[in-house]
Amino acid sequence: PDTDGIPNEILVQRGHRNAYDHALRAAGARLVEVGTQGYPGGGRTLAWQVEAGIGPRTVAIAYPVQNAPGTLSLPKVVEIAHRHDLPVIIDAAASLPPASNLWRLIAEGADLVAYSGGKAIGGPQGSGILCGRSDLIRAAALQQLDMDVDARTWRYRAMVDAGEIPGPPHHGVGRSMKVGKETIVGLLVALRRFIAADEPAEVARQQALLEQIVARLGRAAPGDGAGWPTVTLRRPPVDGRIPYPVLAVDLGGPAAADRAAEVARALQDGDPPVYVSELWLDLGQLGIMASTLVADEADLVAEALVGALARVGAEGARPVPS
């Protein structure tokens, strides 16, 4: 959208920049970075820098939920934003579990919070949840609705009567991202199941599945362990952000990054294809998470990994399955 000539700036702390903030720019926003470089973890922000970044074209402050040392806390950002009558928009796509995050962020003062309907909730991958101020949610909804309607029968005609808008607008920027009714129903069912779930029991279930994979890798290791990867079961939170247990398959440290990529490709090319986490690929490690696995799939993943290692050949540390 062409937003020249109207307020269109969203403040973001330098330590919060990430690949997903393009969603803000895609809506016509111009991102204004605040904070300084050179602090461990990607940036440091002081309260006065946020204050100084606010101007007549500022419309919001973005605050993605991520582990970014040196950035201002959400309550502090909310305090500054609300003092200037600005909303705080949170990308909380990967903030679940715990389920309490579904209401904690709003309780801490966020004005709009977006969650992924897939991932931990387990709903349709093309779905999501937007929580917060009703006026802002209504504004987002207007960007997605089918506007081929008569103003006299339009669902939101009360906004016209109140003088908020002159009539049903044309199709908005979100029209190409509309969500079907079937997806909405699927998301609601998944959300109810997610909230009702026993979180400690779910972590234990996933850990048990990963332990099955560890055991299978241990049985497949050569007698002398030569050329076999080290596997380590890492308990949550992993790297301060992943709330599930992760099985790290280390092919030999950073020097084995290319080898790890080969094994990952071999897994993808298998039958069935298996995709593992590549967050630690440059460390020569593959990450295996069990959040979407059911009971009989742990053995399937283990066999696929053993086969991929056999096809590629693993170079690196001797095995210490744990």
Side-chain angles (χ1 to χ4, degrees), residues 85-296:
D85 294 324
L86 295 172
V88 175
I89 303 173
I90 292 189
D91 174 1
S95 66
L96 303 173
S100 59
N101 276 349
L102 285 167
W103 48 86
R104 177 182 67 83
L105 302 174
I106 294 293
E108 291 186 359
D111 299 278
L112 275 179
V113 184
Y115 300 93
S116 171
K119 297 185 174 71
I121 292 178
Q125 288 296 309
S127 67
I129 301 171
L130 188 61
C131 303
R133 280 172 39 186
S134 60
D135 61 322
L136 297 178
I137 293 175
R138 185 167 60 243
L142 289 175
Q143 292 288 340
Q144 302 185 68
L145 297 178
D146 186 341
M147 298 307 180
D148 296 329
V149 297
D150 190 296
R152 296 168 296 182
T153 60
W154 186 41
R155 174 68 177 82
Y156 293 92
R157 60 188 178 278
M159 297 179 66
V160 179
D161 296 339
E164 296 181 50
I165 55 176
H170 293 294
H171 297 301
V173 65
R175 182 58 178 159
S176 61
M177 297 169 274
K178 65 180 180 179
V179 177
K181 298 176 182 64
E182 304 88 349
T183 297
I184 293 172
V185 172
L187 174 58
L188 287 173
V189 171
L191 179 61
R192 289 173 181 144
R193 291 176 176 173
F194 173 73
I195 292 174
D198 182 332
E199 291 180 12
E202 173 59 18
V203 170
R205 182 192 74 84
Q206 294 182 30
Q207 187 158 314
L209 293 175
L210 294 178
E211 287 171 351
Q212 285 182 237
I213 298 175
V214 170
R216 178 66 184 90
L217 289 174
R219 292 194 299 271
D224 59 0
W228 204 246
T230 298
V231 293
T232 305
L233 186 53
R234 304 166 67 188
R235 288 168 174 75
V238 178
D239 288 356
R241 55 186 169 142
I242 300 174
Y244 297 128
V246 175
L247 182 62
V249 180
D250 192 336
L251 297 171
D258 288 343
R259 179 68 60 177
E262 287 185 59
V263 175
R265 289 198 302 268
L267 284 166
Q268 295 173 14
D269 293 339
D271 183 17
V274 173
Y275 286 75
V276 296
S277 174
E278 299 177 0
L279 286 174
W280 305 278
L281 201 61
D282 287 339
L283 298 178
Q285 299 177 9
L286 303 177
I288 299 177
M289 305 179 196
S291 58
T292 61
L293 296 182
V294 295
D296 60 347

Side-chain angles (χ1 to χ4, degrees), residues 10-18 21 24 31-35 45 50 60-64:
I10 295 180
L11 261 61
V12 61
Q13 300 180 63
R14 279 198 169 92
H16 280 166
R17 291 301 306 273
N18 65 85
D21 60 27
L24 300 170
L31 298 186
V32 176
E33 291 185 355
V34 294
T45 312
V50 176
I61 298 179
Y63 195 101

